[in-house]
Amino acid sequence: MTVNGTTYDRDVEPRTLLVHFLREELGLTGTHVGCDTSYCGACTVIVDGRSVKSCTYLAVAADGADVRTVEGVATDGELHPVQEGFWERHGLQCGFCTPGMIMSSVALLEQNPDPGEGEIRHAIEGNLCRCTGYHNIVRAVEYAAAKMRGEEPPAPDWEVPS
Amino acid sequence: MSTTSVLGGVVRRKEDPALIRGEGLYVDDIKLPGELAAAFVRSPFAHARIMSIDASAATAMDGVHAVYTADDVRHLGPVLAQVAVGTLRPPLADGAVHHIGEAVAMVVADDRYIAQDAVDAIFVEYEPLPAVVDLKAAAADEVQAHEGVSNVLLAWSGQDWWPGVTDELPDAKPVIEEAKARDDTVTVSLEMVNQRLIPTAIEPRAVLANWHAGYGSFELWSSTQIPHALAGAIAKIFGLPSNKVRVVAPEVGGGFGLKLNIYPDEILCCFASQRLGKPVRWTETRREAPASSIQGRGWVGTATIVGTRDGEILGYELDAICDMGAYSQNFTVAIPLLGLFVAPGQYNIPTAYTLTCVVTNTPTTDAYRGAGRPEAAYYLERVVDRYAREIGMDPAEVRKKNFWQPDQFPATTAVGLTMDSGNYAANLDALLEKADYEGMKARRDAARADGRLVGIGLSTYVEVCGFGPSALAGLGFSWSEYGQPAAFNGSGVVRVNPDGSCTVIIGTGPSGQGHETTWAQIVSDQLGIELDQIEVLHGDTAESPFGVGTFGSRSLAVDGTATFEASARVKDKAAAIAAHLLEAAPEDIRFADGGAHVAGSPDKTVSWPEIATSAYQPHTLPEGMEGGLESTAVFSPGNATWPFGSHLALVEVDPDTGNVEILEYWAMDDCGNVVNPMIVDGQIHGGIAQGIGQAMFEAAIYDDDGNLLSSSLMDYPIPTAADLPSFRLDRTTTPTDVNPLGVKGIGEAGTIGSAQTIVNAVVDALEPLGVEHVDMPLRPRNVWQAINGARG
């Protein structure tokens, strides 16, 4: 499979989960495991353009696929607008759900460049965060969406020091 | 108190660049050569005798290194608990199991897949015993959770539980009884459940232990909120000096109290590593987390108010049974006590209480965000609402009528604690004005006139945090059982390096709260060193000063203050060095723009690198001055801090489905001075979400046999993005004088204020139907049943 632009050719046990392949075989530990029922979304990666929960996806099912993980969204050291949005709008606290949340948001904005608040909330419904109450994650995605459309992001909730 | 833009200003978090790139290093991301993986055999019964364990098939499997049972680890003793009341947990079940999922045997294998295969190959024979789960049944003591041991551990009640404090207080009972007997008073009661919760940090706990036989020392990585306490406990259990145990808590993916404990897996991974001579890892699965980590809440009780018909509260009674689970761990029985500390809330009212701590055949309860205080606020603020309704008075007016007044602080409450500062009516008024309470009521009434079920919920709260004053050590708020000091001090090291950069090492550490940014702001504000030149280190007991950890909204108020004081001392020394270099008097030195200058002579400057380099060279120091430029400070607060606030929600209930929609959520919190408003808002957002989670979704449900019916995130729904609205926050600022920063703490406030705000709103929405109470969680079915029950 191709992961973040690099092609890997490996033999794996049939039962190996994609998330364990990424983390333990390729050392890409940015993709996290938060549950075992594909409910929390910490393990979300993008497989052939669609967001996928890699904890319930067998590595062999991704044979020949194009896989993107959080390590691959920045280009040439430049943060992806979604990453920038999470930083600028305090869209993360402990950071554990963040990689999955970023991948779901990237997938959303690739399909829908101008989502409303309700659409954002619906799109990240499969990614659980216990720290932020989602308020600032929604602001982060709004920031990224505006940036990707070439517009000025909405002002933050807090007062900006002059 | 400085007012520069750094302190009290928004800066982006220093933590984030690594975390948004997926470079954050959590315990499960760390790999050691040759490491082995552990997995546990867990009990399928809530209460049973263990008749036999047959591990022969597992032991014979390729890649299995060891299977351990109680016989192998009995010599280690029970898992240490700070408040050692009740039965302590054996590292592996010894002779009997006392809750579902209790660890019976430990497998260590080449990897987690093989370890799990081996777990499945171990045969344990049990003889089931009757289990006790229901709290009233537990209190009745007819079925015992531990054979031959009373379920009732203790009751926090009456006058004698805190010698020198509670025995000096007037007895509230006769006052309350007298008020009830008057014919011009009203007495209202509500029996309510504050249900058990599974804390559910998104990062499951993870442990990696490595014994170095040659050095005679352990390295232990753990996703913990309390690395120093853990190091002390491991040292004590294995008979080592504490400096032979290095605990590292790297990135911690959420704590919320569940990582505030000494856990058997931490002890067992150390044990196995020592036995096998290899690193041993265990990573919790989500499905075992309800049993392998602590749970929170779990009260059933009655709150009663007696008051006049014009809104004067004459007495408050809280009588609850509190679920401790099967074993006592870190704080267990002290959690209800924390609730008791704030039982009277913002009100100056006689208060009587009985909080009975009982054992059940369920996993241990301990601190979960708020820890006792959300329960206490829930009971009080629900029954205050009920009282307001009974006398036909606006719930906001009733509250204001009974508040402590600003000029009464410091205020000694009905439970004997002294609150530092408060301005409750002003805070509530600010909320009501900001949210346009009058307009909101008009909108609710108009919706009601259209037949819609719309309601407004209000709650105020006061929190006790910033632990803590060493006077509380005798009540268990101490690490003395872990071989460490019986005082919850804060600590911080501030070191200016020879190149002028600054390293700050703190005894506490974050699990998402942004300590690196907040602490850097404190130091930058003091020293005028740029934020990007300051590095904040934490979580490694080998390099950090002894510290207590992050919980109870304590870090900034206690450890932040220590760092503030250490940086003040560094600043004094730097001023003396700068004065020497500039041939001026130290008192004329001012710090700004990355260096120091002489007041009135901005051209006479010396940069931080010049000051710092000089500090390490005897020939450039003032005569007789010791070299170096660093300070370690320890801060012991004289009191806890007492944040407070008011929350308001507007909800609509669907009469056909019972679904609750939160239309608006407003909060006006007061945590004293604020270092970074962005981070403070984030703490409140997350806290509110967890309170709403309890109010609307979450419940750890055990059947009568002690089986967990909500063991995955599908049956234990925590709020998703689609369940919550955006929150509308503002704050008032009432500083404390308990610490020089004037800060109080904000980690738990949102959770303490929010659950009853939602329930009050839903009950208000159902008022036209005559509904007086609905127990949490307000899932559609429960609300639908209340609607249909009321309609007959």
Side-chain angles (χ1 to χ4, degrees), chain A residues 13-74:
Chain A
E13 253 197 274
R15 65 176 177 174
T16 302
L17 301 171
L18 178 58
V19 67
H20 287 155
F21 178 76
L22 293 170
R23 289 176 55 81
E24 286 163 26
E25 188 70 27
L26 305 186
L28 295 170
T29 56
T31 303
H32 296 150
V33 181
C35 75
D36 34 29
T37 50
S38 67
Y39 207 82
C40 82
C43 63
T44 305
V45 298
I46 297 178
V47 179
D48 291 334
R50 297 176 56 200
S51 60
V52 157
K53 292 180 175 176
S54 62
C55 77
T56 36
Y57 199 90
L58 295 171
V60 292
D63 190 13
D66 179 47
V67 178
R68 275 189 291 161
T69 73
V70 70
E71 289 93 343
V73 293

Side-chain angles (χ1 to χ4, degrees), chain B residues 147-185:
Chain B
E147 285 185 288
V149 181
S150 171
N151 296 327
V152 180
L153 292 183
L154 58 81
W156 300 109
S157 182
Q159 304 287 110
D160 59 356
W161 58 269
W162 195 1
V165 178
T166 47
D167 45 12
E168 310 275 320
L169 295 171
D171 188 357
K173 274 269 180 200
V175 178
I176 293 169
E177 290 310 317
E178 197 186 316
K180 283 183 185 168
R182 277 165 50 180
D183 27 345
D184 60 341
T185 61

Side-chain angles (χ1 to χ4, degrees), chain A residues 79-92 136-137 139-141 143-144 147, chain B residues 20:
Chain A
L79 292 178
H80 188 282
V82 169
Q83 291 172 307
E84 190 184 315
F86 273 72
W87 193 12
E88 291 287 343
R89 291 295 178 267
H90 192 28
L92 65 152
N136 282 340
I137 292 178
R139 302 290 93 78
V141 178
Y143 176 102
K147 272 282 223 173
Chain B
I20 57 181

Side-chain angles (χ1 to χ4, degrees), chain B residues 161-216:
Chain B
W161 58 269
W162 195 1
V165 178
T166 47
D167 45 12
E168 310 275 320
L169 295 171
D171 188 357
K173 274 269 180 200
V175 178
I176 293 169
E177 290 310 317
E178 197 186 316
K180 283 183 185 168
R182 277 165 50 180
D183 27 345
D184 60 341
T185 61
V186 175
T187 302
V188 293
S189 278
L190 282 176
E191 182 176 357
M192 297 176 280
V193 176
N194 196 280
Q195 80 275 25
R196 241 180 198 266
L197 301 177
I198 302 173
T200 319
I202 305 298
E203 182 207 21
R205 289 194 307 105
V207 178
L208 175 60
N210 194 14
W211 168 249
H212 300 280
Y215 293 101

Side-chain angles (χ1 to χ4, degrees), chain B residues 502-522:
Chain B
C502 180
T503 302
V504 180
I505 316 172
I506 60 179
T508 186
S511 37
Q513 299 86 350
H515 290 39
E516 292 176 25
T517 307
T518 300
W519 266 249
Q521 286 182 265
I522 292 170

